[in-house]
Structure formats: C-alpha cells, structure tokens
C-alpha cells in the first residue's frame, strides 16, 4: 500500500472545494441551500480522536515489544495493517469532506450578516478544522506503523549476482 501524500490530499481538497462552492452558488440561486449539519465537525473530531488513540496505543505496544519488556503485549501485523488502512481511508474521506465544507463555507462568507448563514459558516469552518485533525492523526498513525527499512531495499530487493 502506498503512503499518504500531502499533494494528493491537497488536490482532493481543492477539487472538492471548487466543486462544492460552485454547487452552493447554483443551488442557492434556484432554491434553499442545504444546511451544514452541526454533527459534521463532531463526527470528524471523534474520528480524529479514535485515530490518535489507536496510534498512541500501537506506539506504546510497539515500543514495549521492541524493548522486550516482560509481559509486553505484541502487535499483530494484520491489526496494524487494518489500522493503517482505516487511517488511509479516513484521510481520503476527510480531504473530500473538508473540501466540500470548505467550499460551502467560502460561499457562506458572503452572507455573514445573516445569523443563520453565519452559524452555517462556523459549522463548515469547524468541519474543515476537524477534518485536518483527521488527516494529521492518519499521518501519525501511518508513521507509527511504518516498518523499519530493510538493508535489502537499498539494492532493489535483489541479491547480487555471484
């Protein structure tokens, strides 16, 4: 599995942001713009907390295993792989959701004098911040679960010819 790349996540964020800004302008011109749910930043923050707690737990268990502490509970490779996949998927979805709420939030900046729209802009902004937290926690989890580099990898994984 490839590592997360900031450029790819930023691209997803930008594309989703531009598309949602344009959709918000269009939707507002023909009717009522859908509301940004209050639960959006809360759910994203909970996902970030779960990812961070998983990363901290795995880091402590891996450190205890590496130091060969008596009674240390090891980490199963499949569990670590699942955690990394969960972090990777969460980061991708968070980049899309951040872009979506970011685009809607930028559109709402034009209407800050209307209290209901101002609240929607705040919810969208908090959703973007919580999504950035998800992405940061996913990067941390990926870093914690990264395998140490093998010396064979420097030679492309092939044995020298004798």
């Amino acid at each position: 599995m490839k590592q997360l790349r900031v450029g790819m996540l930023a691209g997803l964020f930008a594309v989703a942001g531009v598309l949602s800004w344009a959709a918000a302008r269009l939707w507002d011109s023909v009717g009522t713009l859908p509301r940004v749910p209050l639960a959006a930043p809360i759910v994203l923050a909970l996902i970030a907390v779960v990812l961070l707690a998983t990363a901290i737990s795995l880091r402590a268990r891996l450190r205890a295993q590496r130091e060969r502490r008596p009674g240390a509970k090891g980490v199963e490779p499949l569990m670590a792989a699942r955690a990394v996949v969960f972090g990777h998927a969460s980061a991708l979805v968070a980049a899309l959701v951040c872009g979506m709420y970011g685009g809607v939030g930028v559109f709402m900046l034009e209407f800050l004098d209307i209290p209901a729209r101002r609240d929607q802009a705040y919810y969208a902004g908090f959703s973007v911040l919580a999504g950035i937290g998800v992405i940061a926690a996913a990067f941390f989890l990926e870093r914690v679960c990264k395998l140490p580099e093998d010396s064979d990898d420097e030679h492309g994984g092939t044995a020298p010819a004798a």
Side-chain angles (χ1 to χ4, degrees):
M1 188 164 106
K2 294 183 180 179
Q3 289 184 333
L4 287 171
R5 293 191 328 241
V6 175
M8 181 187 58
L9 295 174
L12 283 173
F13 174 83
V15 168
V18 169
L19 289 175
S20 70
W21 174 80
R25 287 185 60 88
L26 179 66
W27 200 319
D28 192 54
S29 69
V30 296
T32 305
L33 183 67
R35 298 176 50 95
V36 177
L38 175 61
I42 295 169
V43 169
L44 286 169
L46 286 175
I47 292 171
V49 167
V50 167
L51 285 172
L52 187 62
T54 302
I56 290 171
S57 172
L58 286 174
R59 183 178 68 169
R61 290 172 62 184
L62 287 169
R63 182 177 294 150
Q65 187 178 2
R66 218 177 13 252
E67 294 172 356
R68 300 177 194 259
R69 293 184 193 156
K73 190 175 179 181
V75 176
E76 294 180 27
L78 189 57
M79 185 180 79
R82 286 179 180 157
V84 171
V85 168
F86 173 59
H88 195 96
S90 298
L92 291 172
V93 170
L96 287 171
V97 170
C98 280
M100 184 183 74
Y101 286 130
V104 170
V106 167
F107 174 73
M108 294 286 186
L109 290 177
E110 300 173 17
F111 306 103
L112 288 180
D113 54 336
I114 303 170
R117 295 271 175 125
R118 182 176 49 241
D119 291 344
Q120 296 299 301
Y122 288 152
Y123 298 159
F126 290 140
S127 296
V128 171
L129 291 176
I132 291 170
V134 169
I135 292 169
F139 272 110
F140 180 59
L141 177 62
E142 187 177 66
R143 183 175 169 268
V144 164
C145 293
K146 186 176 179 182
L147 293 173
E149 297 295 326
D150 288 335
S151 60
D152 292 342
D153 287 344
E154 295 173 5
H155 305 291
T158 59

